[in-house]
Structures are given as C-alpha cells and as structure tokens.
Amino acid sequence: MTNNQPLYDQDFYAWTEQQVRLLRAGRLQDADLVHIAEEIETLGASERRELESRLKVLLMHLLKWQHQPDGRSSGWMGTIDEQRDQLDTLLRQSPSLRRLVPETLAYAYPKAKRAAAHETGLPRACFPEHCPFSPEQALDPEFWPND
C-alpha cells in the first residue's frame, strides 16, 4: 500500500489534485505511480468503449435508415449526424483510435444488427451477415444508404 492509498480511496478528486501538484513539481518519488498508471490505462479503455458504443448506435441507425425507408425521420437523421460528429471529435482528439475503426466496426456490427432488429421488428435475417458499410462510408457525413 502506498502513502496515497487512503486519499485515493477516500477522496479521489483530492487525490488527483495532489498527484498533479507532485508531478508538476517533479516529485515522482512522492507520486502514487501505481494508481496513476491504472487511471491512465482506464482512460484509454474508456476511449475504446466510447468508439465501440458510438459505432454501434451509428450502425444501428444506418441499418434502420436502409431497411425501413418509410420510417425515416429527422430523429434518425439527427442521431446519425450526432454519432458521426462525436466520432469525428473522438478521432481528432485521439487519432491513434482511427486504426481501430475497422476492427471495432466489425465487432460492433452484430450488436447493432440485433438492436436494429429489435427496434424495427424485422427479423435479423433481413440484415446482412457482415457490416454492409465500410468504415469510410459509416463516418462520411454525406453517405446515406440507398440515397
């Protein structure tokens, strides 16, 4: 257990302030390096989860847009635009995530397909087995399936 363990457990915000002061002062020997490393690792994992979550929502709405043209609405359009905007921001702030988009798109697609089937009432079998959208199409604000 480090000297910072009690503060880390009792008041996380105060712990962060303390660690920032120590790091900025160059007092690495006094910093809680174990927990700092864990928190940085958690931040990276959070970025990956956000990428997957936003891609799932985007794909689900693109599938709905493609397979239920009569149900198209400004709400669906707004959700697609919002996810693309948030993904653009995420990828600009963390450009190294861009290399994960194809893999994450493939991983998120079955979840998006299941959610689209639930929301539309259409059988899962009516949706393609594999993601019908390339990463470039999915992220392109000008791309709309079947338009």
Side-chain angles (χ1 to χ4, degrees), residues 31 36 44-45 51-52 60 65 75 86 109 120 122 124 136 139 145:
I36 290 170
L51 177 65
E52 182 182 338
M60 177 185 66
W65 188 269
Q86 292 299 323
Y109 179 71
T120 62
L122 297 171
R124 266 189 230 181
E136 295 76 21
L139 298 174

Side-chain angles (χ1 to χ4, degrees), residues 2 5 12-14 25 28 30 34 46 51 57 60 89 100 102 105 115 123 128 131 133 136 146-147:
T2 67
Q5 184 71 38
F12 182 75
Y13 183 72
L28 295 180
D30 296 325
V34 170
S46 176
L51 177 65
V57 173
M60 177 185 66
T89 299
L100 302 177
L105 194 79
C131 185
F133 316 114
E136 295 76 21
N146 297 335
D147 275 358

Side-chain angles (χ1 to χ4, degrees), residues 59-61 63-64 67-68 109-127:
L59 291 174
M60 177 185 66
H61 279 79
L63 287 171
K64 288 167 44 175
H67 290 272
Q68 281 196 326
Y109 179 71
K111 297 173 185 180
K113 178 177 155 179
R114 181 181 65 237
H118 288 198
E119 286 202 13
T120 62
L122 297 171
R124 266 189 230 181
C126 85
F127 299 104

Side-chain angles (χ1 to χ4, degrees), residues 20-117:
V20 167
R21 282 192 306 277
L22 291 169
L23 291 172
R24 287 196 172 132
R27 294 175 47 200
L28 295 180
Q29 73 281 3
D30 296 325
D32 184 0
L33 297 179
V34 170
H35 285 116
I36 290 170
E38 287 175 8
E39 293 303 324
I40 291 171
E41 191 173 56
T42 298
L43 288 172
S46 176
E47 294 285 292
R48 286 185 72 148
R49 280 191 303 276
E50 181 177 356
L51 177 65
E52 182 182 338
S53 175
R54 292 197 178 278
L55 284 172
K56 176 190 167 204
V57 173
L58 174 61
L59 291 174
M60 177 185 66
H61 279 79
L62 288 173
L63 287 171
K64 288 167 44 175
W65 188 269
Q66 184 176 45
H67 290 272
Q68 281 196 326
D70 293 341
R72 292 177 182 172
S73 68
S74 60
W76 287 2
M77 184 179 285
T79 299
I80 291 168
D81 285 341
E82 178 64 17
Q83 295 309 308
R84 284 175 167 161
D85 289 348
Q86 292 299 323
L87 283 159
D88 178 66
T89 299
L90 179 65
L91 294 171
R92 274 188 299 102
Q93 291 175 347
S94 297
S96 62
L97 285 174
R98 191 167 293 280
R99 67 182 164 76
L100 302 177
V101 170
E103 169 192 331
T104 306
L105 194 79
Y107 186 77
Y109 179 71
K111 297 173 185 180
K113 178 177 155 179
R114 181 181 65 237

